Amino acid sequence: VQLQASGGGLVQAGGSLRLSCAASGRTASNYVLGWFRQAPGKEREFVAAISSRGGSTWYADSVKGRFTISRENAKNTVWLQMNSLKPEDTAVYYCAAGTYSTRSSSYDYWGQGTQVTVSS
């Protein structure tokens, strides 16, 4: 499975961004798809994940109520809608495919990352 993330950028606090991740490979729909982020000097952290058919979603407490993950297997795409962005959301965001966990080691495939910068 190959993953290509896009949609990052610079936004003011309180604004919104929508990240996309295009998955290639016929087995992509079999995997949990997740988003992680890594800020400078910090470890990569779990943001959100969605089950293979989209019936279950999971979120980090820090983004619950502000971010929404969704997917459409027919398009091999997963999205992360980010609203009410805060400066502490600034990070490189990565999409990943694997088995559900909040641990990055459970994900087998990773995209290249897209930078999100939130100004105060």
Side-chain angles (χ1 to χ4, degrees):
V1 177
Q2 293 183 326
L3 303 169
Q4 180 77 30
S6 61
L10 173 64
V11 64
Q12 289 188 332
S16 299
L17 280 176
R18 190 189 196 200
L19 304 184
S20 300
C21 180
S24 62
R26 62 179 181 173
T27 62
S29 61
N30 293 339
Y31 289 92
V32 167
L33 297 177
W35 289 94
F36 285 74
R37 66 186 182 187
Q38 188 166 17
K42 294 187 177 181
E43 293 186 353
R44 191 169 297 189
E45 65 174 358
F46 172 77
V47 175
I50 187 167
S51 60
S52 59
R53 296 188 178 183
S56 296
T57 56
W58 303 273
Y59 296 94
D61 287 342
S62 59
V63 306
K64 203 171 292 184
R66 300 188 297 123
F67 291 11
T68 302
I69 189 171
S70 59
R71 69 187 291 171
E72 185 171 340
N73 286 340
K75 295 183 178 181
N76 280 335
T77 302
V78 60
W79 296 275
L80 185 68
Q81 178 67 44
M82 305 186 295
N83 298 329
S84 302
L85 283 162
K86 304 175 181 180
E88 50 264 44
D89 294 318
T90 295
V92 177
Y93 283 70
Y94 299 89
C95 58
T99 304
Y100 170 66
S101 172
T102 59
R103 298 184 301 176
S104 58
S105 58
S106 294
Y107 293 79
D108 302 309
Y109 305 98
W110 291 84
Q112 85 288 2
T114 184
Q115 176 71 46
V116 172
T117 303
V118 184
S119 62
S120 58

